[in-house]
Amino acid sequence: MAGAKPGVHVVQLKPIQVPESLVKGNKFIKWDEGSQTGTPVTLKVDPKGYILYWKDQNKDMDFLDISYIRDTRTGRYAKVPKGSSRRPSAPEGKLRDQCMIGPSDVPTEDKTITICYGKDMTNIEFVNFVCASRDVAREWTEELLKFATNLLALNGSVLSYLEKAHTKLTHVLDVNGRIPVKNIIKMVAKDSRDDKRKVEKALESVGFMAGKDSFFNLPFQKMVSKNSKQNETIDPNKFSFEDFFSFYRHLIGRTEVDKVFDEVGAKKKPYLTVEQFVQFLNKQQRDPRLNEILYPYYTVRQAQDFIDEYESRANMAAKGHLSQDGFLRFLLSDDNNIVPPDSLDLSHDMNQPLAHYFCNSSHNTYLQGHQLTGRSSVEMYRQVLLTGCRCIELDCWDGRNADEEPIITHGYTMCTEVPFKEVIEAIAESAFKTSEYPVILSFENHCSQRQQAKMAAHCRNIFGDMLLTDTLDGFTLDTGVPLPSPSSLMRKIIVKNKKKHFHQREKPKQRPVKDTNSVDEGGGTGGGIGGSEGGKRSESVSEDNLSQGVPGPDANLEDVASDSSDSDDDDGDDDNEERRQFNVEKGTAGQEAEAGLEMSMLVNYVQPVHFHSFETSEKRNKSFEISSFVETQATSLLKEYPVEFVNYNKRQLSRIYPRGTRVDSSNFLPQIFWNAGCQLVALNFQTLDLAMQLNLGIFEYNNQCGYILKPDFMRRDDRRFDPFAESIMDGVVAATLTIKVISGQFLTDKKIGTYVEVDMYGLPTDTVRKRHRTRTVPNNGINPVYDEEPFVFKKVVLPTLAVIRLAVMDENNKLLGHRVLPVEGLRPGYRHIPLRNECNLPLLMPTVFVHINVKDYVPDDMSVYIDALINPIAYLSEQEKHSQQLAVLEDSEFVSAQPNGKTSGPTSPQHREVNPLNRTKSPTPAMPEEITKEKISKKPTHPIVKPETSNGQPNQFNQISLKENKGQPVSTIQSLLNDPALLVPTPLKDLKNQKAFFKVICKRDKELESLSKKHEKV
């Protein structure tokens, strides 16, 4: 989404490496939350880390897709059976006794692995495994989380997902240790009979279902019914991946890939040569925007390496030949993936000030649903942090129990509540599991002073050294000092809460009420602790606020509240109505309590203040001050002050949150405010709508660390950026993107029509929605072929901020899968795009086959020149061809029959003539008339050329040339060019005697004389 470090990035990401101990497996007791008894199982992981599977004593097997594992826990945060040492009051039960394995002095929770899994963040399920050793539990917990969060695995190629599907089939067997055919059918076709028949026919084509009892020599057997093919089974030892790939090929055909194969150069033979394959790689698959030195062209050696790896026939590979199957394997492979690994890796410069990054941010993090009736959950904090979110919100209220412990809930609603202390414990445990970069806790504090003191104590005690309480060396809280970088704040938790400042007391001047309530520099109201500086600020910004249409400083405000109250006492019913609507949109954020001393002491680099104007913020120049804006207020500011908003975000943080009327927990499009450089664009993570899909897709990059470096011009003070600009900016190369959707594979297991939409999100001028859509292919979810005209995004002004969203929909407009891809990181050529679900988790089989062409944007009127610069040889060859074609017409002009039987010569010396001996054109250089006459007069080796008379009669040149060349049809211009006198350079003396030279000298003298007269007058 933004610029990475310059130069070639060395990828640090590593593929999954499964320890031998996990492949061999361990003995566990498995239990679920609803279980009354535990089940002894053997737990294993396949060698490539695709699935976690287990077998019980009855040989029944089950599995979990590791990509759907969201968290693993052991020790204090693992779930334990009822009646354990952690819950002494619970009744003892059979389950607890069964889980008491291994040394009795080791607590059960230390021997327990709790695995959280699910396809989104709200519907989480848990499964628990208890072993006999603390070390075994710890190893499985750590390794499984590594596998589940491995970005190379989550962004694997189609070939790797086919391997995963084959692994599921061959590792999860029936009680007889065989593969049920019904498992294969369910994988691709659940409801449609026609699709089931296709699967059975494809299996028969590769020799795994004959349907006759006489075929027992094949690796299958009947189980129950001789007439039911779905009750047949396959020997897993004889069902290799080669057989599975052949089944895949027979099932979906891939004729569109064979068409590409023929177009590349295999029309007359069933293979590609290594030379043809190299040409295909360099012409189609290589990004033309790459530097040729840093990223050189593919060589024959590299092409041969690909052939050796993906061509299954050794004899063909040895000859440098690539078959259709080998070509398809390459197109499906990791070497041809849509996203380069360096985009996924931590490739951005993480040493810039914190304000120079987009930060993955959450709004009302505790809610799992509706804003008025939703359920609050501690688990949501864990799930949001595990996705890479680095800014979470805590709405704190006074607890009403006897212990007076603070709670977290949505105030004045029917939402449930959760204990503040449990939330802090969950944050401490999950904050840095998937990213070590800083986490910002955005407090909306409604607690009393006493309970705020408890909150501060819990933060200090539970977070410990992770809590940032002191400023870093070199980053003081002074004017003009930038914020520290994410790298310098690694594994630190930063508190954003109202801060109470202490100033030297001065007797405030007597003012009207609305002025005494104005905002001072950092704490309280003007009538309280505020200093004289606050009074001056309130006077200077009141007019600005009115002009911007935002609440002014004459409100009853708390100075340091990011979402402080904006009510004021201006006259007028219209103003009051507008103000009431504004407060409704802000929700409870405008009603925070006064900051307590203990909580204030935890606040440093993220100090919330009420926003007055961009001018005021620029004058203050305090990077540690942050203002929060409800989406409507931020939109108004962006419309009226786009450049100022961008400049504000270069210096300090801003937080944008949804308006209070979004009670359904819907989201606004975050791209709107990313375009202005807003860092903390907070969304409702429980709602996986389009906005959340874009957010999850974009923050997957840069190692999913939660921070994305903003483009250069959104960080530098010497650059001006207007987010509404439509013209190309200095230093930014616009792009042209073309996407052709060719086909889809395994888009749905239902027999239903499908289509594909391709949208772009970026600057307003780059955003294209609901314009590019394929036709609907009816009744085909397995292998629809679209193959329509490409979708062209002619001019992408700012590719670094633009993303493509490719969405597959059924005929009822239901989302089947999608993918969000940054324009800057797209690989051109023929690519397969594995699809994701709404929560950006990979789907197993669905893919889309596309052709992508991405290049630098060139205006239409400049395209000819750019083509000539890119390939001058081809351009000159084309010009040569055009000249040869025009030569035929020029011949008819040079020699044309006259009424008297004579021929007329050329009308000008610039005409070209074809040499009858070699049939090549001989261009005559255009020469000044004086030079031509002079040269001919010096050496008259041929008749003197005289111009044609005005009455159209034959001139002297025609008559002489016809007399001397009656039997020798040599063209006149050719004879002129053969004259060696034309090759003799003209001396400088002679050039100075020419008429043209005298004209230039006279013109120069006149201009000098005119300038001299003007100078004398002055």
Side-chain angles (χ1 to χ4, degrees), residues 25 107 155 181 188 206 247 358 401 682 771 872 902 941:
N155 288 272
V181 171
V188 295
V206 294
F247 159 73
F358 298 114
N401 296 333
R771 186 186 305 173
K902 297 180 181 180
T941 57

Side-chain angles (χ1 to χ4, degrees), residues 932-952:
T932 305
K933 289 183 178 180
E934 185 176 0
K935 298 304 296 181
I936 293 175
S937 63
K938 280 188 174 182
K939 293 192 176 184
T941 57
H942 52 76
I944 298 176
V945 179
K946 293 185 179 180
E948 185 175 329
T949 56
S950 59
N951 58 6

Side-chain angles (χ1 to χ4, degrees), residues 97-130:
D97 295 337
Q98 289 176 335
C99 293
M100 297 296 291
I101 60 174
S104 59
D105 59 334
V106 179
T108 304
E109 56 263 32
D110 290 348
K111 297 179 289 185
T112 300
I113 307 168
T114 296
I115 298 176
C116 316
Y117 65 95
K119 296 184 179 181
D120 55 43
M121 283 172 275
T122 56
N123 300 301
I124 301 296
E125 298 182 55
F126 299 90
V127 61
N128 306 281
F129 297 92
V130 184

Side-chain angles (χ1 to χ4, degrees), residues 149-161:
T149 57
N150 186 286
L151 287 177
L152 290 181
L154 293 173
N155 288 272
S157 63
V158 179
L159 199 61
S160 68
Y161 288 127

